[in-house]
Amino acid sequence: MAEYVASALFVYTDDTKYLIKPLQNHASGTLITSVAFDTLMQSPQEQLEGIDHVVVAGPLDVIKEVLRLAMKYHFSIGIIPAKKQKHLIKFYDLPKSLTDAVELALRKDGQAIDLILCNGKIMLFKAAIGRIPLLDTPAKASWIRVLADALRKFVGFKLYTFKFSTAGKHKIKTAASGCMILQHSRGSFASRLMSHDHSFSDGMISTVISAPISIIAYVTLLWQALRSSKGYKKLPSSIGYIKSPQIDIEPETPFDVLIDDEDTTHTPLHCETIPQAVRVNVGKSLQDGGVG
């Protein structure tokens, strides 16, 4: 039987204020105190004094700021996603129905998870540098979509020199079109490539490097993406993989870095893991560090 927190602070935005009543009227009897995100940020220490659990609903940047506060003030987090926040729902295996999402958000069994910082910015799903053909293609995409995406990204395709440095001071210099840094990106071609060796609570960062050296290698990679729906025990020859608690990436040509499809920084890129940084109420498939 599920256990619920005795009390919680609900952090809302203008778009999620309507959730106050469903939280206050939940059968768990959890005592809910509500605060607007802007008000919270004016005096976070005062607002969070004595708070052990926070429920948040709002844009991704709001959720990330609450995660950052959780690292400092050591409260657990429940997240109520909007229907359009599909990556967030997949990432934390959150329920799509409001009733179930509220129920999960108020539970007492938060899962300790890592956070990854890229140039100081919180990365939840992925960060992309350069061209990464097929790596970010949804695993369940139709072959028509995969083919169209592949052809579009091959136009003007070029390899650059990339330097990768790991926490163990291991240095790698290689030619690549780009790379993807992942927390655990569920449901993409890249996630299938590394599904045998990945968790969001192992203290590590996974970097998948795209380096098809010819049109033949690119077509081979395309063929593998189209025909396989399972994970890989052996990586394709045109894909590199680095796993480390810290990684520095420096391409010969400066690149913008897109974080979670929203935030932007630039190379050189320093990524580090904060092990078990926060406790978050996640779905059943992700409990105990699983990847779903």
Side-chain angles (χ1 to χ4, degrees):
M1 186 174 178
E3 290 188 57
Y4 301 95
V5 295
S7 61
L9 179 69
F10 175 48
V11 178
Y12 64 87
T13 62
D14 288 343
D15 292 336
T16 59
K17 190 174 182 179
Y18 73 95
L19 292 169
I20 294 175
K21 284 189 177 180
L23 283 163
Q24 290 177 334
N25 296 332
H26 190 260
S28 64
T30 300
L31 178 63
I32 301 294
T33 303
S34 301
V35 62
F37 174 71
D38 290 342
T39 303
L40 170 68
M41 297 311 296
Q42 289 173 10
S43 55
Q45 185 172 355
E46 179 183 337
Q47 297 286 344
L48 293 168
E49 186 176 356
I51 298 296
D52 294 319
H53 188 74
V54 169
V55 176
V56 59
L60 198 60
D61 61 333
V62 168
I63 293 169
K64 287 185 179 183
E65 195 57 48
V66 171
L67 288 168
R68 195 180 293 276
L69 289 171
M71 284 194 285
K72 183 175 182 179
Y73 295 104
H74 310 293
F75 53 80
S76 57
I77 299 175
I79 300 172
I80 302 177
K83 289 183 179 180
K84 64 181 180 180
Q85 292 177 313
K86 295 180 180 179
H87 286 304
L88 188 66
I89 291 170
K90 281 186 178 181
F91 181 70
Y92 286 127
D93 190 27
L94 300 174
K96 293 181 180 179
S97 80
L98 176 58
T99 300
D100 292 340
V102 168
E103 193 272 340
L104 177 61
L106 293 174
R107 285 193 185 184
K108 204 174 183 178
D109 54 352
Q111 172 78 36
I113 67 169
D114 305 336
L115 283 182
I116 294 174
L117 303 182
C118 293
N119 284 355
K121 297 176 181 286
I122 291 178
M123 183 203 84
L124 291 185
F125 322 129
K126 63 182 180 180
I129 302 174
R131 292 200 179 192
I132 46 173
L134 303 176
L135 290 183
D136 56 350
T137 300
K140 295 182 179 180
S142 67
W143 68 268
I144 295 176
R145 178 176 174 181
V146 174
L147 184 59
D149 183 60
L151 292 174
R152 178 174 56 84
K153 289 184 177 179
F154 193 74
V155 176
F157 191 80
K158 183 180 178 181
L159 297 181
Y160 300 87
T161 299
F162 277 73
K163 295 178 182 178
F164 299 89
S165 302
T166 68
K169 306 302 180 183
H170 185 53
K171 297 183 183 297
I172 300 168
K173 187 175 181 179
T174 187
S177 62
C179 62
M180 183 184 288
I181 302 95
L182 296 146
Q183 166 55 294
H184 80 96
S185 182
R186 307 178 75 211
S188 68
F189 181 54
S191 67
R192 283 196 278 121
L193 289 171
M194 62 181 194
S195 61
H196 65 290
D197 184 36
H198 202 51
S199 167
F200 70 177
S201 58
D202 60 1
M204 306 294 274
I205 301 167
S206 293
T207 304
V208 183
I209 304 164
S210 174
I213 59 175
S214 67
I215 184 64
I216 294 175
Y218 189 80
V219 170
T220 300
L221 182 63
L222 173 60
W223 171 245
Q224 290 174 319
L226 288 171
R227 72 183 178 87
S228 178
S229 60
K230 300 179 180 179
Y232 292 76
K233 292 183 178 180
K234 183 180 179 182
L235 291 176
S237 59
S238 56
I239 295 294
Y241 179 45
I242 299 173
K243 188 173 181 179
S244 173
Q246 179 179 305
I247 188 164
D248 289 278
I249 303 171
E250 187 173 359
E252 63 174 329
T253 300
F255 282 100
D256 287 335
V257 182
L258 189 61
I259 301 174
D260 296 331
D261 295 325
E262 293 186 0
D263 206 358
T264 305
T265 182
H266 53 81
T267 58
L269 186 69
H270 173 74
C271 300
E272 60 180 311
T273 307
I274 311 299
Q276 300 189 355
V278 292
R279 288 175 293 119
V280 179
N281 291 8
V282 297
K284 196 170 183 179
S285 69
L286 296 180
Q287 292 174 8
D288 300 319
V291 294

